[in-house]
């Protein structure tokens, strides 16, 4: 162990005498520290099953568990808990949620179903209004603000309206015996606060906690961790204030500074040796982030040598930018005998991807797009998947709620709330409850009739689904529920036609799969929950990665292009919009391994002093977060980094002049090379033509 670790890493691993904060710079080997510390805890006599490692993403948890399994071989029942925050919340609520009135098989609704409930609560058909309210409510929940407190603190009529919808939304979820994603943290906090015996039991279950990406925690997550560790405070938090980029979804850097206040004996250890990037890349990164105020001063360094100089490429406009990147990437790959998978193109917002996708397709460069919407995430596909999920399992309450209300059949929120309340009292699913005689005392015959008609239809389809060919029955089901009519009744003709085509494609895909496998519709329905995974491309495919900077956090690539380095774009000047596009699902982002060997880094005791915390000024705080976002982008690169910007950029039919990002100057990079050096579309095309001719003469060896 000692051969592989530098002094700061060893100090972080071996310190067990109290609360510990590991300030882990980009590429400094934080995952290695966490896994080795778990192994050290086991060696020190801590029961392995009483150790918990908490992170933000499923991928990070999986990677950590795989690394740990290679280091510490234990029977499954004795393995440490390696989990996301939300998975831990589910585990806590399944075990002890009855103390809050939740049945054990409570439902977890997704963001789309939550938006449907909010649309009803707001009395609007505008999806954007519902999504905006959903984000506001999510921030309230993450800050532990309940509906009454939200109403009391509302600043204007809009917030008052959202606070009222929040109250109705919470009541609906309670009636449905359902929780949303934010509740998976908020309800465990309430559970531990209100039930001291449950809190003590969980502190005995998890006697030592390690928490990854601590800078991304929100107020609710901080409180959950504080309640879990209790007075014993046996924990290690790992984070980096320079990589906090999720302020728009409630993460707060104050949590890092609160640690020193709440735990005066906190030991702070810094990991500053970087195992990822060349010195030239780290120099640019250090110069950039030096413009932000610091909680814990640090400076990354590397033994990888100077490396290639960081390149800045001005371009005439967005199409020339895409052509320039494609040309440079092809030429660089040819010269280095590299793989396409060695390259990543990072951008601030998903809208920038289109022109690069078009150019890469034109040049026959394979690519993988991260952060875009999966086909299976489209509302119309999720509607039909809800029907299929219900056929496969009539205990699936969220599928029942979605299917019974889409298309609409006269079943309103009040009726479903009454049914959900009755089902909760009886500890049965909503589908089972609608057939019980007792429900007739709760729901008037006029409201109960369409519910039972729906239930009988599902039962008839379910009986046939186990016996008849999938294709024929699927066509009949879509026709009988009149889903096409529903689409054209709820959207304009152009949008409805596009959505209906998606439905037809989905149905044909299912029918083809059923024919190939000889599956009945029931068998297809049982596997439908896996369909979203089938749309994801193999992560090991040899292809360029196109991704937002937010979605790139935790990843690393030998060669990186950061595009659109312009004022107004990076830094973005439009508030949350671009950030919100980047990565709505915090369990889909990858996490960094950051391993390597080396020696020599600093360790310090106690919280750092003399560094001012991030400013409270809203505009300055926004620029600081944008600067951290650029820092994350720059530190994804291992060997080469190219930054591009455009002199003008299209918005709709118009073109607007652009200025280079202030961050280029902060990195002491020349954003304006000599006259004539700007890459024009014509020059890029000429170079591409020459490159294609060269590639045609001599193919690169695989590498």
């Amino acid at each position: 162990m000692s051969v592989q670790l530098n002094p700061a890493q060893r100090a972080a691993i071996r310190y067990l005498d109290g609360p510990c904060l590991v300030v882990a710079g980009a590429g400094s080997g934080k995952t290695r520290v966490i896994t080795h510390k778990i192994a050290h805890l086991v060696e020190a006599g801590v029961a392995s099953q009483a150790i918990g490692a908490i992170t933000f993403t499923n991928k990070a948890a999986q990677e950590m568990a795989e690394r740990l399994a290679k280091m510490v071989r234990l029977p499954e029942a004795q393995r440490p808990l390696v989990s996301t925050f939300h998975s831990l919340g589910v585990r806590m609520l399944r075990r002890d949620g009855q103390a809050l009135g939740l049945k054990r098989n409570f439902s977890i609704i997704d963001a789309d179903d939550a938006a449907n409930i909010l649309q009803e609560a707001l009395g609007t058909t505008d999806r954007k209004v519902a999504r905006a309210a959903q984000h506001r409510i999510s921030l309230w929940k993450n800050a532990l603000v309940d509906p009454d407190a939200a109403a009391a603190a509302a600043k204007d009529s809009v917030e008052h309206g959202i606070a009222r919808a929040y109250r109705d939304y919470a009541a609906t979820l309670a009636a449905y015996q359902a929780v949303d994603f934010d509740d998976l943290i908020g309800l465990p906090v309430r559970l531990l606060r209100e039930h001291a015996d449950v809190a003590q039991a969980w502190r005995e279950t998890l006697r030592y906690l390690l928490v990854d990406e601590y800078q991304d925690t929100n107020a609710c997550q901080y409180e959950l961790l504080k309640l879990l560790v209790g007075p014993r405070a046996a924990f290690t938090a790992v984070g980096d204030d320079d990589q906090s980029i999720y302020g728009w979804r409630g993460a707060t850097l104050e949590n890092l500074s609160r640690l020193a206040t709440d735990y005066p004996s906190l030991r702070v250890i810094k990991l500053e040796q970087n195992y990822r990037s060349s010195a030239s890349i780290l120099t640019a990164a250090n110069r950039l982030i030096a413009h932000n105020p610091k909680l814990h001063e640090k400076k990354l360094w590397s033994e990888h040598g100077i490396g290639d100089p960081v390149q800045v490429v001005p371009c005439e406009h967005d199409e020339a930018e895409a052509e320039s990147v494609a040309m440079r990437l092809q030429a660089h790959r040819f010269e280095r005998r590299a793989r396409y998978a060695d390259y990543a193109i990072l951008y601030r917002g998903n809208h920038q991807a289109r022109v690069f996708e078009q150019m890469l397709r034109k040049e026959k460069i394979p690519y993988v797009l991260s952060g875009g919407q999966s086909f299976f995430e489209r509302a119309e596909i999720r509607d039909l998947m809800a029907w299929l999920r219900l056929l496969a399992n009539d205990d699936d309450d969220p599928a029942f709620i979605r299917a019974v209300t889409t298309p609409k059949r006269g079943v309103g929120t009040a009726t479903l709330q009454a049914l959900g309340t009755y089902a909760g009292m009886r500890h049965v699913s909503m589908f089972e409850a609608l057939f019980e005689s007792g429900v007739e005392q709760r729901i008037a015959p006029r409201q109960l009739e369409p519910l039972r008609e729906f239930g009988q239809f599902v039962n008839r389809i379910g009986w046939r689904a186990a016996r008849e060919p999938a294709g024929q029955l699927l066509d009949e089901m879509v026709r009988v529920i009149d889903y096409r009519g529903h689409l054209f009744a709820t959207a304009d003709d152009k949008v409805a036609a596009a959505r209906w085509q998606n439905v037809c494609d989905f149905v044909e895909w299912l029918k083809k799969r059923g024919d190939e496998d000889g599956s009945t519709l029931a068998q297809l329905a049982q596997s439908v929950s896996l369909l979203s995974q089938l749309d994801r491309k193999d992560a090991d495919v040899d292809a360029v990665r196109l991704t937002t900077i937010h979605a790139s956090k935790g990843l690393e690539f030998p060669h990186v292009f950061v595009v659109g380095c312009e004022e107004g774009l990076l830094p973005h000047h439009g508030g949350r919009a671009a950030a919100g596009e980047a990565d709505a699902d915090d369990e889909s982002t990858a996490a960094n391994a950051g391993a390597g060997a080396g020696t020599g880094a600093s360790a310090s005791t106690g919280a750092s002093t003399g560094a001012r915390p991030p400013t409270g000024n809203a505009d300055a705080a926004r620029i600081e977060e944008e600067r951290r976002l650029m820092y994350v982008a720059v530190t994804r690169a291992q060997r080469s980094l190219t930054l591009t910007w455009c002199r003008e950029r299209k918005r709709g039919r118009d073109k607007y002049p652009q200025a280079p990002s202030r961050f280029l100057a902060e990195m002491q990079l020349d954003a304006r090379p000599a006259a004539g050096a700007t890459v024009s579309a014509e020059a890029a095309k000429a170079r591409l033509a020459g490159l294609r001719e060269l590639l045609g003469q001599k193919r690169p060896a695989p590498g």
Side-chain angles (χ1 to χ4, degrees):
M1 181 186 293
S2 61
V3 175
Q4 301 172 330
L5 300 163
N6 65 45
Q9 290 174 328
R10 284 197 297 273
I13 289 163
R14 293 174 178 173
Y15 184 73
L16 303 179
D17 296 334
C20 179
L21 170 62
V22 179
V23 181
S28 63
K30 66 183 178 65
T31 306
R32 168 169 291 205
V33 166
I34 293 171
T35 52
H36 277 71
K37 186 153 192 173
I38 292 172
H40 182 63
L41 283 161
V42 174
E43 291 171 5
V46 180
S48 53
Q49 64 268 35
I51 301 169
I54 314 300
T55 188
F56 277 81
T57 70
N58 287 321
K59 186 171 182 180
Q62 182 180 355
E63 179 186 334
M64 201 176 289
E66 288 171 355
R67 283 193 179 200
L68 193 58
K70 293 175 183 176
M71 295 173 57
V72 185
R73 300 192 180 278
L74 293 165
E76 189 168 347
Q78 294 178 26
R79 290 175 189 168
L81 171 69
V82 181
S83 166
T84 63
F85 273 96
H86 295 89
S87 295
L88 174 62
V90 171
R91 183 181 293 239
M92 295 176 71
L93 293 176
R94 294 283 186 218
R95 191 174 102 174
D96 295 305
Q98 287 171 304
L100 298 177
L102 278 176
K103 61 182 182 184
R104 285 199 188 278
N105 61 334
F106 64 85
S107 301
I108 303 169
I109 65 166
D110 61 26
D112 210 51
D113 289 333
N116 289 340
I117 296 170
L118 272 172
Q119 272 187 253
E120 189 87 22
L122 289 162
T124 181
T125 57
D126 190 330
R127 198 67 169 177
K128 288 183 179 178
V129 171
R131 290 291 190 195
Q134 193 173 12
H135 178 64
R136 178 66 261 182
I137 290 169
S138 177
L139 291 178
W140 277 329
K141 286 190 173 190
N142 290 338
L144 292 168
V145 176
D146 64 23
D148 291 338
K155 299 185 183 77
D156 51 38
S157 59
V158 173
E159 281 202 357
H160 273 291
I162 296 174
R164 283 195 299 272
Y166 180 14
R167 185 179 288 113
D168 294 343
Y169 172 70
T172 300
L173 289 189
Y176 289 172
Q177 282 283 302
V179 301
D180 64 18
F181 209 54
D182 296 315
D183 290 331
L184 295 177
I185 312 297
L187 288 177
V189 167
R190 187 179 142 206
L191 179 69
L192 299 185
R193 279 179 170 177
E194 296 178 4
H195 300 276
D197 56 332
V198 175
Q200 187 56 36
W202 274 101
R203 287 168 192 157
E204 292 302 319
T205 299
L206 295 173
R207 296 187 63 81
Y208 198 98
L209 279 180
L210 300 99
V211 188
D212 193 13
E213 304 286 8
Y214 205 83
Q215 77 281 349
D216 292 334
T217 55
N218 56 43
C220 193
Q221 288 159 336
Y222 184 95
E223 188 65 18
L224 177 62
L225 294 168
K226 187 176 178 183
L227 289 164
L228 278 172
V229 300
R232 191 167 62 240
F235 71 86
T236 294
V238 181
D240 181 9
D241 50 320
D242 291 335
Q243 295 187 74
S244 178
I245 60 173
Y246 291 112
W248 51 273
R249 68 181 187 199
T252 171
L253 266 177
E254 289 178 10
N255 286 350
L256 279 175
S257 57
R258 276 184 66 189
L259 279 176
T261 304
D262 290 346
Y263 304 98
S265 63
L266 182 73
R267 171 83 178 270
V268 178
I269 300 170
K270 301 177 188 177
L271 305 183
E272 296 174 290
Q273 181 173 358
N274 175 283
Y275 294 96
R276 176 187 300 159
S277 306
S278 66
S280 61
I281 293 169
L282 292 183
T283 297
N286 285 331
R287 286 171 176 167
L288 172 71
I289 207 64
H291 289 79
N292 266 12
K294 299 291 184 183
L295 288 170
H296 301 283
E297 288 286 351
K298 67 179 184 306
K299 190 172 184 179
L300 295 181
W301 61 276
S302 169
E303 293 182 337
H304 285 330
I306 296 295
D308 296 344
V310 176
Q311 300 272 328
V312 178
V313 181
C315 304
E316 284 188 350
H317 47 69
D318 15 11
E319 289 182 5
E321 181 182 44
E323 287 191 278
S324 172
V325 169
M327 177 268 295
R328 288 170 179 272
L329 191 154
Q330 286 276 52
H332 192 275
R333 175 177 170 272
F334 179 76
E335 292 164 3
R336 303 293 178 97
R337 302 293 192 265
R339 301 173 70 237
Y340 284 116
D342 291 339
Y343 296 85
I345 300 171
L346 312 184
Y347 38 81
R348 180 63 177 81
N350 276 318
H351 64 281
Q352 293 169 259
R354 180 185 58 82
V355 66
F356 287 95
E357 283 198 80
Q358 291 170 342
M359 183 55 58
L360 295 178
R361 284 175 181 266
K362 180 182 174 184
E363 296 304 321
K364 297 182 174 56
I365 299 173
Y367 68 90
V368 175
L369 181 68
S370 299
Q373 186 186 43
S374 161
F375 177 76
F376 294 97
E377 292 299 311
R378 297 178 188 276
E380 59 272 19
I381 305 305
R382 293 173 71 86
D383 286 342
L384 292 189
M385 287 175 72
W387 279 86
L388 295 176
R389 282 165 47 204
L390 189 59
L391 289 178
N393 174 22
D394 56 25
D395 284 340
D396 188 334
D397 284 348
F400 169 82
I401 293 164
R402 187 162 190 148
V404 79
T405 55
T406 313
K408 291 189 181 299
R409 52 179 44 78
V411 177
T413 301
T415 302
L416 287 175
Q417 284 182 346
L419 178 64
T421 301
Y422 175 78
M425 291 173 54
R426 296 279 299 130
H427 302 289
V428 297
S429 69
M430 294 174 75
F431 187 85
E432 184 178 343
L434 70 87
F435 291 109
E436 292 193 354
S437 58
V439 78
E440 295 165 6
Q441 310 305 313
R442 303 287 183 133
I443 302 176
R446 187 166 54 86
Q447 279 79 38
L448 189 56
E449 183 180 356
L451 273 174
R452 286 186 166 166
E453 282 181 5
F454 169 79
Q456 289 158 3
F457 173 70
V458 170
N459 281 335
R460 288 195 301 272
I461 291 288
W463 187 89
R464 294 173 61 190
R467 295 163 176 81
E468 298 180 15
Q472 181 180 332
L473 188 55
L474 195 54
D475 281 336
E476 183 179 338
M477 187 184 81
V478 174
R479 179 179 55 78
V480 171
I481 67 175
D482 192 23
Y483 192 78
R484 185 177 185 277
H486 159 74
L487 289 176
F488 280 89
T490 55
D492 64 57
D493 287 354
K494 186 176 179 181
V495 171
R499 290 177 178 170
W500 177 244
Q501 185 58 55
N502 289 335
V503 169
C504 294
D505 291 345
F506 178 59
V507 168
E508 287 304 309
W509 183 82
L510 276 176
K511 287 161 64 175
K512 183 180 178 183
R513 181 173 169 171
D515 291 343
E516 289 174 351
D517 299 345
S519 301
T520 63
L521 185 57
Q523 290 167 330
L524 282 181
Q526 285 167 355
S527 61
V528 80
S529 63
L530 303 175
L531 295 183
S532 59
Q533 297 174 25
L534 301 177
D535 191 46
R536 295 174 187 163
K537 297 181 180 179
D538 184 356
D540 295 327
V541 70
D542 186 20
V544 175
R545 179 72 66 94
L546 276 178
T547 179
T548 61
I549 302 171
H550 279 93
S552 76
K553 187 167 179 286
L555 302 178
E556 55 185 34
F557 306 92
H559 312 291
V560 170
F561 293 85
V562 183
V563 300
C565 299
E566 298 144 31
E567 286 296 307
L569 193 53
L570 185 59
H572 188 260
H573 289 172
R576 179 189 170 258
E581 319 178 312
D583 184 27
D585 177 7
D586 53 5
E587 300 224 343
S588 70
T589 308
N592 172 48
T599 58
S602 63
S604 64
T605 304
S608 62
T609 58
R612 62 188 179 92
T615 176
N617 178 279
D619 187 60
R622 178 182 57 77
I623 292 297
E624 286 167 11
E625 179 152 328
E626 291 291 305
R627 187 176 286 113
R628 293 193 294 270
L629 192 60
M630 175 63 103
Y631 177 80
V632 166
V634 167
T635 55
R636 297 313 91 198
Q638 295 171 319
R639 297 200 288 277
S640 77
L641 173 65
T642 304
L643 309 165
T644 68
W645 67 279
C646 297
R647 294 189 187 280
E648 62 179 24
R649 191 170 287 276
K650 281 184 182 177
R651 290 187 207 128
R653 294 182 178 179
D654 298 322
K655 294 180 180 179
Y656 295 87
Q658 302 293 109
S661 170
R662 71 188 72 183
F663 299 149
L664 299 178
E666 290 176 0
M667 288 185 274
Q668 299 177 29
L669 298 172
D670 187 0
R672 298 179 182 274
T678 300
V679 178
S680 68
E682 291 72 22
K685 287 176 183 175
R687 291 180 194 174
L688 273 171
L691 179 63
R692 280 195 290 269
E693 184 178 346
L694 180 63
L695 289 172
Q697 295 169 1
K698 182 179 179 181
R699 304 300 299 174

